[in-house]
Amino acid sequence: MPDDLAIDVHGMTKRFGALTAVDHVDLAVRAGEICGFLGPNGSGKTTFIRMLCGLLRADEGRGTCLGYDVVTESETIKRHVGYMTQRFSFWDDLSIAENLDFVARMYCVRDRRQAVRETIERLGLTERRHQLAGQLSGGWKQRLALAACMIHQPKLLLLDEPTAGVDPKARREFWEEIHRLAGEGLTFLIATHYMDEAERCHRLAFILQGHLLVHGTATEVIARSHLVTWSVSGPGLVELAQRLRNSSGVEQAVSFGTMLHISGPDAEALERAIAPFRTKPYEWRRIDSGLEDVFIHFMSQSQDGVAS
Amino acid sequence: MRRRYEFSPRRFWAIVVKEFIQMRRDRLTFVMMISMPLMQLILFGYAINSDPRHLPAGVLLGDHGPQARTLLHAISNSTYFNFVRELDTEQEAREAIARGEIQFILNIPENFTRDLLRGDRPTLLIEADGTDPAAIGNAVSAARLLLNTAMRHDFQGPLDYLAAQRDAIDLRIQTLYNPEGITRYNIVPGLMGVVLTMTMIMITGLGITRERERGTMENLLSMPAHPAEVLIGKIIPYILLGYIQVALILGAAYGLFHVPMVGSLALLLAATFVFIVAHLAMGITFSTLAKNQLQAVQMAYFFFLPSIMLSGFMFPFRGMPRWAQDIGEILPLTHFLRITRGILLKGNGLPEVWPQLWPIALFAALALTIGVKRYRRTLD
Ligand SMILES: Nc1ncnc2c1ncn2[C@@H]1O[C@H](COP(=O)(O)OP(=O)(O)O)[C@@H](O)[C@H]1O
Ligand SMILES: [Mg+2]
């Protein structure tokens, strides 16, 4: 096993009664890498992350996290991993400073007071450090949570939808920070729905209904989909989209402002489908498929596979 | 390489500090926990009466003559008294009543038959345990009535001169421990156990389910904490809160209700510790079963109701049917009531308290084992 892998797990499986929330997922993330963990709601992202940090016992699977066994050494893993829960899970009735102080004590952080003070300064919350965490706005809560789960200087951060409900500016700052930290050698596994965030990751893993569908860099993922996309502009796009959606060879017809993106997995079938409309005043152009097109493609493919 | 992590005093202390801050912020709960004993003190200032029978009694039989036997029979037939043992010495009798094995001592003096036949009005002494006046009141009146009526058919033939004579026997009732029969003396020390039963289970149950309901448990579990650090750290502030309640009630008992405090306060506080731990452990167990705070409160009530009904707080213990007494014997409150009344009113020491203390300790050990076993380190 190469020792520059921060996460290296195989066959991770978790069942809740009859439901298999995570089904034999393999994942390898290199140290210093930002891995985006994508998938619609209920696809098993949270469950997978919880298994990595010992919050849920895996029914099957084995592997390592920072070189420690995920099954037998979860207590050690907890010491070196920072986990940011999907829902804000710090204590609303403790102040910012008290929350950080508590976390620092729990991890037996050396020079605790100084670590807490520095964290508060870095957050720019020195003035508001006595404010109760429950009174913070969504964006500040996320920043506090991130700062708190990093106070013990973990080597691996597991972030579960860290930017849900955060405004675009705060999101941008958040990602700047993540990249800066990755530059310092920290490894990230970040669950998200946002495609613009996916594009900021070094590597992506897409999970659906507990199955890992694709894993690789954004370009690899797009290339592997073999999805062909055309963009069209002109009048009456809504009507055009309606008609194209029903023709064979077309998988998606999605509006993007004054444009329509038409995609399908088979280039020839797609061209046949759009041929009748390749007239004036429509302007057609072949473009690269976006990540979003690709993920919707994977999702619809997998739904076809599942007889339901 | 698999390392085991031991209990860390630093992390334990982190939890204690956090719980204290949270308790301080949660004003409403704090105020309720403090005002609950005060409210109950006022509400239960009034006694609840009933008519318990078959109260255990012992007899000091100084005379074995036929009249003494008849008398014993008659008293027994009244159904108020149940003679469970014959006592040899006054000392033995006092010990039995202090331990609560018997509630009455019937003292038939030497030469009872001879004096009766002579018309010398022999003395019949009934000593009663006054710590629970509601329980003994009716029995005492019944005994009085009996001597004047039931005995009469025995005074026939050659003895009918006695029947004509009123008060052939000189009945003396001596109430021990609470001679004026003040019900408050019984209620107020009992209240201590009742308030602790109610609040200690509830506050622990709430404290743990709240973490789960708010999602902070996930955060706590993702930290490298030993369950013992979390559980013990959490209950320390509650133990302190329990002692604040105890101080309030004892203060009121002494200052407002003038309840005598004969025994050792240190012994009482030590016994209280075992009692508090028993209920905190119960609260931990309930919190592992409850899905949310509402359920935790419901479970606390589920335990509180039989405790208050079957422990001898609401109704005199001996007045309850057998099955109810059997359930009552399992409940820590039953034993704790006997301990508090025993220490405060009778001045009992450890030898008398011990038979009531170990059942509470056993209960605490069992509840704690189940609670800690069921407490999960994962979210499964
Ligand atoms: N504790 C649990 N008990 C039962 N089912 C669960 C539990 N946690 C998650 N699930 C189910 O497992 C599936 C995956 O959930 P989750 O991992 O939260 O997905 P995601 O984070 O991708 O939205 C969902 O269908 C969810 O309902
Ligand atoms: Mg999730």
Side-chain angles (χ1 to χ4, degrees):
Chain A
M1 174 204 317
D3 49 356
D4 66 337
L5 287 183
I7 300 174
D8 185 21
V9 292
H10 305 276
M12 298 300 281
T13 301
K14 182 72 195 177
R15 300 187 189 90
F16 295 112
L19 174 84
T20 307
V22 174
D23 197 353
H24 295 94
V25 170
D26 301 345
L27 188 71
V29 181
R30 266 190 222 107
E33 214 171 46
I34 302 174
C35 178
F37 199 33
L38 298 122
N41 283 325
S43 53
K45 302 184 296 292
T46 302
T47 306
F48 180 77
I49 293 178
R50 283 175 174 167
M51 282 193 288
L52 285 187
C53 59
L55 279 171
L56 286 175
R57 248 185 284 275
D59 292 313
E60 280 175 51
R62 70 206 151 71
T64 58
C65 221
L66 297 170
Y68 302 108
D69 192 299
V70 284
V71 180
T72 58
E73 294 178 301
S74 59
E75 290 305 306
T76 313
I77 292 174
K78 283 179 186 177
R79 281 164 195 247
H80 301 292
V81 166
Y83 170 46
M84 180 169 163
T85 53
Q86 180 170 355
R87 202 175 128 194
F88 182 71
S89 64
F90 286 86
W91 288 266
D92 282 350
D93 48 356
L94 297 188
S95 71
I96 294 165
E98 286 160 353
N99 266 303
L100 291 170
D101 193 61
F102 174 66
V103 177
R105 280 177 196 262
M106 289 304 281
Y107 285 101
C108 300
V109 170
R110 224 167 283 171
D111 297 324
R112 188 186 88 240
R113 282 169 213 280
Q114 197 189 332
V116 170
R117 200 177 334 112
E118 281 172 6
T119 302
I120 293 174
E121 273 168 22
R122 195 147 24 81
L123 280 169
L125 285 173
T126 309
E127 303 286 287
R128 296 159 70 186
R129 66 185 181 279
H130 296 304
Q131 194 178 338
L132 296 187
Q135 295 168 353
L136 291 172
S137 67
W140 279 110
K141 275 186 180 166
Q142 301 300 87
R143 295 173 78 166
L144 170 63
L146 181 67
C149 73
M150 286 182 31
I151 203 160
H152 60 296
Q153 304 187 318
K155 300 189 200 79
L156 169 66
L157 279 148
L158 306 171
L159 312 181
D160 196 353
E161 300 191 21
T163 56
V166 174
D167 66 66
K169 181 167 169 289
R171 257 171 65 190
R172 172 161 298 181
E173 285 167 5
F174 186 87
W175 277 91
E176 295 293 307
E177 175 83 356
I178 300 286
H179 273 276
R180 193 182 61 72
L181 292 165
E184 289 176 9
L186 268 73
T187 312
F188 289 86
L189 179 65
I190 306 180
T192 179
H193 300 295
Y194 298 115
M195 289 305 145
D196 60 321
E197 294 191 343
E199 277 155 10
R200 287 167 169 252
C201 296
H202 298 132
R203 188 174 285 272
L204 300 171
F206 187 77
I207 186 174
L208 185 73
Q209 293 177 348
H211 296 272
L212 190 72
L213 291 188
V214 267
H215 183 201
T217 63
T219 2
E220 282 169 7
V221 167
I222 292 170
R224 208 167 302 160
S225 72
H226 303 295
L227 194 70
V228 179
T229 302
W230 287 80
S231 136
V232 56
S233 60
L237 288 181
V238 177
E239 198 186 321
L240 180 64
Q242 207 69 290
R243 294 170 71 178
L244 279 172
R245 260 182 212 126
N246 295 326
S247 37
S248 69
V250 175
E251 191 183 81
Q252 303 168 36
V254 189
S255 308
F256 282 89
T258 58
M259 314 259 252
L260 195 62
H261 286 188
I262 316 291
S263 334
D266 182 342
E268 282 177 24
L270 186 63
E271 284 197 44
R272 270 200 302 280
I274 63 174
F277 307 99
R278 291 184 76 168
T279 54
K280 286 280 165 196
Y282 294 121
E283 296 261 352
W284 289 88
R285 205 153 46 83
R286 173 111 183 233
I287 57 166
D288 291 336
S289 300
L291 266 181
E292 184 164 315
D293 306 321
V294 169
F295 286 128
I296 291 175
H297 161 70
F298 280 125
M299 279 168 66
S300 58
Q301 258 195 344
S302 133
Q303 258 151 19
D304 294 343
V306 178
S308 57
Chain B
M1 177 191 65
R2 185 172 176 175
R3 249 185 296 168
R4 276 175 55 82
Y5 288 103
E6 312 286 300
F7 185 91
S8 148
R10 287 179 70 182
R11 286 196 301 263
F12 159 73
W13 187 244
I15 304 264
V16 173
V17 170
K18 162 182 160 296
E19 292 298 322
F20 265 116
I21 298 173
Q22 289 187 295
M23 192 156 90
R24 209 182 61 213
R25 298 265 154 78
D26 192 0
R27 289 268 161 73
L28 184 68
T29 307
F30 191 75
V31 167
M32 263 180 27
M33 292 296 151
I34 297 301
S35 51
M36 176 119 63
L38 297 176
M39 195 178 73
Q40 301 226 2
L41 272 171
I42 296 162
L43 289 181
F44 286 103
Y46 308 95
I48 298 137
N49 245 319
S50 76
D51 188 19
R53 287 164 191 253
H54 304 290
L55 302 173
V59 61
L60 270 167
L61 205 56
D63 183 296
H64 294 268
Q67 308 306 330
R69 294 250 161 242
T70 312
L71 181 71
L72 217 53
H73 249 100
I75 293 182
S76 198
N77 282 342
S78 74
T79 71
Y80 278 100
F81 300 88
N82 181 17
F83 289 103
V84 291
R85 59 186 284 196
E86 193 164 320
L87 303 152
D88 295 324
T89 61
E90 178 74 15
Q91 165 80 12
E92 191 191 338
R94 287 300 172 113
E95 278 171 14
I97 206 165
R99 277 196 302 271
E101 274 167 40
I102 53 173
Q103 275 177 299
F104 297 95
I105 305 166
L106 185 70
N107 201 333
I108 300 181
E110 275 177 53
N111 306 328
F112 177 81
T113 308
R114 194 197 68 195
D115 291 351
L116 182 70
L117 296 183
R118 277 199 198 152
D120 279 355
R121 293 194 71 219
T123 308
L124 179 66
L125 176 67
I126 296 181
E127 289 171 290
D129 177 351
T131 52
D132 191 354
I136 60 165
N138 288 1
V140 167
S141 338
R144 254 186 231 292
L145 222 88
L146 234 130
L147 294 187
N148 293 331
T149 57
M151 285 294 280
R152 204 152 286 176
H153 87 271
D154 208 48
F155 301 149
Q156 280 164 3
L159 293 178
D160 65 356
Y161 65 98
L162 283 175
Q165 187 185 326
R166 276 183 55 82
D167 301 329
I169 299 167
D170 174 22
L171 177 69
R172 299 216 181 137
I173 309 284
Q174 190 182 345
T175 311
L176 302 171
Y177 311 124
N178 179 10
E180 290 100 38
I182 301 174
T183 329
R184 283 201 309 269
Y185 287 5
N186 177 44
I187 296 281
V188 175
L191 217 49
M192 209 163 88
V194 170
V195 168
L196 288 175
T197 303
M198 178 78 256
T199 54
M200 291 295 103
I201 294 186
M202 191 137 86
I203 199 164
T204 326
L206 285 178
I208 297 174
T209 44
R210 180 165 49 220
E211 299 261 12
R212 228 175 286 137
E213 215 174 304
R214 292 187 185 168
T216 51
M217 188 54 104
E218 182 173 6
N219 202 337
L220 201 55
L221 288 175
S222 76
M223 296 176 189
H226 195 280
E229 290 158 13
V230 178
L231 291 179
I232 302 176
K234 269 185 163 303
I235 66 175
I236 292 277
Y238 304 153
I239 293 178
L240 208 79
L241 190 64
Y243 274 114
I244 295 178
Q245 295 181 325
V246 167
L248 274 173
I249 294 177
L250 284 182
Y254 187 76
L256 298 177
F257 297 100
H258 310 291
V259 174
M261 298 193 180
V262 187
S264 151
L265 207 59
L267 179 61
L268 181 62
L269 294 182
T272 305
F273 181 79
V274 182
F275 184 71
I276 289 178
V277 169
H279 287 87
L280 293 178
M282 203 66 211
I284 293 175
T285 304
F286 281 162
S287 76
T288 63
L289 299 168
K291 292 210 161 48
N292 50 47
Q293 293 190 63
L294 180 65
Q295 286 188 357
V297 172
Q298 284 171 333
M299 286 185 189
Y301 268 101
F302 176 78
F303 189 80
F304 179 64
L305 272 183
S307 285
I308 195 172
M309 296 300 217
L310 305 181
S311 62
F313 177 76
M314 265 314 195
F315 317 110
F317 193 76
R318 319 256 198 219
M320 300 191 309
R322 185 77 227 162
W323 61 266
Q325 291 194 19
D326 288 343
I327 297 174
E329 290 288 352
I330 301 169
L331 300 168
L333 183 58
T334 308
H335 301 280
F336 190 63
L337 288 181
R338 295 175 191 162
I339 291 176
T340 41
R341 288 169 185 170
I343 294 177
L344 289 178
L345 306 180
K346 299 181 184 176
N348 281 352
L350 191 57
E352 294 89 5
V353 165
W354 178 245
Q356 305 298 338
L357 194 56
W358 72 257
I360 305 180
L362 182 68
F363 185 95
L366 281 177
L368 205 60
T369 311
I370 296 173
V372 171
K373 272 244 163 72
R374 285 194 51 94
Y375 177 81
R376 305 222 160 272
R377 298 176 99 159
T378 62
L379 293 169
D380 284 277

